[in-house]
Amino acid sequence: MATLWGGRFSGATAGLMRTFNNSIRFDVRLWDADITGSEAYAQALERANIISSAESAALLNGLAKIRAEFNADQFIIEANDEDIHSAIERRLGELAGDAAGKLHTGRSRNDQVATDTRLWLREEILPLKTHLRQLIAVIVNQAETHIDALMAGYTHLQQAQPIRFSHWLLSYGWALERDLTRLEQVYQQVNVLPLGSGALSGNPLGIDRQFLADELGFSSLGQNSMDAVADRDYILDFLSWAAIVQSHLSSLSEDLIIYSSSEFGYLEISDAYSTGSSLMPQKKNPDSLELIRGKTGRVTGNLTALLVSAKGIPSTYNKDLQEDKEPLFDTVDTLAMTLPIMTGVIETLTINQSRMYEAMSSHLLATELADYLVEKGLPFRQAHDVIGKVVQMSLETEQPLWSVPLSAYKSFSPLFDRDVHTWLDFERAVERRDSVGGTAKAAVLAQIEALRKKADG
Ligand code: ARG
């Protein structure tokens, strides 16, 4: 068998055109989904009395043999196999004889490929979900272990206010928790059945689409055959989900890379996730995190690639849609690595609590001083201005805020009193932020408990 469509052709396909058109080199990984879809369709044909039960049995037997061949790595792809659908159909003809020629009755590769891709992606989402849960779980564990570690909190990468190290780490846990919720939503979008839509206009043979959906575990049916064969929104949903996840992983990587530099020294990336330099013997580089950050480019690029390919395609199936697979496969493969690598990095981090503490500038407490004056009755805007001047003086005289004597404080405002120095304490500042979602110990412990529940599912 040359191609599935050669009847009306008298001329041969150009060699380069064949290579250009063929997708088997990448869509071969849909083999299991393709067989599963065909098994359901064979049964639907039998139920609609299009094929006999003997023919249906021959098809199911042949498909089972093909599955065994793939599992044993013994399926041979032939030069003329255009895509995975043609390859399996060709092989089924060899194994099941004439019955094989009936499997495609009323079915097009258009509804077939859309069904296969959905079946395939549905299976891939499950391990990604597990990876995400595991990453959240190690974040929660590290946060719990280091609940007492205090650190400078940054905005604009400038020291801002004191926080718990756990609070910083958990901030990524919550971003990933949203990713988990979004992934469940994406799954719902994926889980819609296109099969039974034919090439574009529906199925004329009385095929029971609800039977197909039940058989294949889809929760609903595509409601318009033209839309069903063309819809790639579920892939775009998945790719945008992945791009958002990668952006979270990338920011976390960036923070970890900075915090592990010798200038910061807040933490150390384990040897297991670092590599060295071929020239500089002293180097230990956070390549794991740099690769995660770098791969955000290709994952975002994959989303952009399909968005651009999908733009302006006329209705129903056009070959442009074959371009959906490589970005999808690459993104799945990438996240199947980046998520567990990040989990490993977090799990094996060494935290240097004293370095974090030593690096905290007294100016992290400037907001405390403003709050102090507010408590004494000064409106916040004025308090802000007064403390700005105090900070300026402290910079000029090179004295930390806790070393500025009361007399000097009083020269800025008569509201300053003996108790001012008790406010200049990191732990106290952190513990004052006891609102829901704040950095006080009890609030962080509540986060840990809530997030752990999400990670456990
Ligand atoms: N390999 C094709 C794809 O991935 C299968 C669908 C082909 N349909 C067609 N009308 N030529 O999109």
Side-chain angles (χ1 to χ4, degrees):
M1 187 167 66
T3 58
L4 298 176
W5 39 261
R8 63 94 67 217
F9 283 76
S10 46
T13 316
L16 186 59
M17 173 56 194
R18 212 157 353 132
T19 311
F20 190 54
N21 185 50
N22 288 3
S23 53
I24 186 94
R25 69 184 176 281
F26 51 83
D27 68 18
V28 63
R29 63 200 284 174
L30 297 177
W31 66 266
D32 194 48
D34 195 73
I35 293 170
T36 304
S38 287
E39 286 167 342
Y41 198 69
Q43 294 173 66
L45 285 174
E46 185 194 340
R47 288 165 56 96
N49 296 317
I50 308 296
I51 61 174
S52 68
S53 57
E55 286 170 325
S56 165
L59 290 174
L60 294 177
N61 266 330
L63 289 166
K65 278 190 196 133
I66 294 173
R67 174 172 273 124
E69 287 180 358
F70 271 107
N71 277 326
D73 228 355
Q74 279 167 359
F75 186 93
I76 295 162
I77 293 168
E78 295 191 347
N80 278 330
D81 293 338
E82 185 179 323
D83 52 26
I84 186 59
H85 328 292
S86 326
I88 290 178
E89 194 173 334
R90 189 254 316 144
R91 184 67 184 136
L92 191 60
E94 293 161 7
L95 294 169
D98 287 348
K102 296 193 175 180
L103 179 58
H104 224 52
T105 318
R107 186 173 67 162
S108 158
R109 277 183 298 162
N110 299 352
D111 56 349
Q112 186 176 0
V113 71
T115 304
D116 290 4
T117 311
R118 286 176 186 267
L119 282 170
W120 179 85
L121 181 53
R122 219 174 56 179
E123 291 310 303
E124 296 298 321
I125 284 178
L126 303 174
L128 289 174
K129 216 164 134 180
T130 307
H131 291 321
L132 207 43
R133 285 188 193 288
Q134 283 166 347
L135 175 53
I136 296 172
V138 297
I139 285 177
V140 168
N141 289 344
Q142 287 286 21
E144 190 170 50
T145 307
H146 299 284
I147 185 72
D148 291 320
L150 300 187
M151 187 176 89
Y154 296 84
T155 63
H156 311 264
L157 210 51
Q158 307 288 325
Q159 290 208 5
Q161 289 178 334
I163 54 162
R164 289 186 186 280
F165 163 80
S166 304
H167 196 55
W168 162 77
L169 188 54
L170 288 165
S171 71
Y172 287 101
W174 288 106
L176 294 163
E177 184 272 331
R178 289 193 296 279
D179 293 334
L180 192 59
T181 306
R182 256 194 297 272
L183 187 56
E184 279 153 11
Q185 292 160 354
V186 172
Y187 187 92
Q188 296 310 316
Q189 295 296 327
V190 174
N191 206 20
V192 180
L193 175 85
L195 197 58
S197 296
L200 76 160
S201 61
N203 188 295
L205 306 168
I207 286 292
D208 181 351
R209 294 191 67 213
Q210 189 55 55
F211 166 80
L212 287 171
D214 294 343
E215 203 55 22
L216 295 170
F218 285 104
S219 55
S220 59
L221 312 180
Q223 294 296 312
N224 177 304
S225 59
M226 296 178 79
D227 176 49
V229 295
D231 176 16
R232 296 294 182 272
D233 294 358
Y234 67 101
I235 302 182
L236 290 170
D237 281 338
F238 177 79
L239 293 178
S240 27
W241 169 81
I244 295 171
V245 173
Q246 273 299 134
S247 82
H248 294 149
L249 297 183
S250 188
S251 289
L252 176 53
S253 297
E254 177 66 8
D255 273 358
L256 290 168
I257 289 168
I258 292 171
Y259 294 170
S260 68
S261 67
S262 47
E263 286 73 11
F264 277 74
Y266 292 0
L267 36 89
E268 196 186 329
I269 315 295
S270 123
D271 284 4
Y273 294 96
S274 309
T275 66
S277 156
S278 57
L279 191 147
M280 300 164 284
Q282 86 284 11
K283 290 297 291 290
K284 179 170 144 182
N285 300 324
D287 294 36
S288 50
L289 298 168
E290 291 164 33
L291 281 169
I292 291 174
R293 190 178 56 189
K295 283 177 191 297
T296 307
R298 69 195 288 160
V299 171
T300 307
N302 287 339
L303 168 63
T304 309
L306 187 59
L307 279 170
V308 176
S309 288
K311 178 195 170 292
I313 302 182
S315 52
T316 81
Y317 185 83
N318 296 265
K319 203 53 171 276
D320 318 43
L321 293 176
Q322 180 168 285
E323 288 296 306
D324 62 353
K325 284 173 209 65
E326 287 162 289
L328 174 62
F329 296 161
D330 183 68
T331 291
V332 168
D333 292 345
T334 303
L335 268 86
M337 296 275 275
T338 55
L339 287 167
I341 291 281
M342 184 57 96
T343 303
V345 170
I346 301 287
E347 206 171 18
T348 56
L349 272 184
T350 308
I351 314 301
N352 192 336
Q353 223 161 301
S354 50
R355 271 298 288 269
M356 276 180 203
Y357 200 81
E358 283 154 20
M360 293 173 83
S361 150
S362 73
H363 293 148
L364 286 163
L365 297 167
T367 317
E368 295 306 290
L369 287 180
D371 287 353
Y372 171 88
L373 291 179
V374 166
E375 205 167 89
K376 304 279 173 186
L378 201 62
F380 181 77
R381 269 295 144 247
Q382 288 175 44
H384 185 287
D385 193 58
V386 170
I387 304 305
K389 294 193 168 81
V390 171
V391 168
Q392 195 178 36
M393 177 275 287
S394 120
L395 286 169
E396 279 163 12
T397 59
E398 295 181 14
Q399 308 173 85
L401 290 177
W402 44 70
S403 303
V404 173
L406 180 59
S407 56
Y409 276 117
K410 278 188 180 296
S411 70
F412 289 96
S413 164
L415 293 172
F416 281 114
D417 215 336
R418 300 183 176 290
D419 57 345
V420 62
H421 287 101
T422 64
W423 282 63
L424 295 171
D425 178 80
F426 293 132
E427 184 78 27
R428 177 188 165 125
V430 163
E431 285 308 289
R432 283 183 64 231
R433 275 128 185 110
D434 59 357
S435 54
V436 173
T439 199
K441 190 168 182 169
V444 175
L445 287 172
Q447 285 185 57
I448 288 175
E449 199 188 332
L451 201 50
R452 181 165 279 148
K453 272 195 198 126
K454 304 263 186 183
D456 291 346

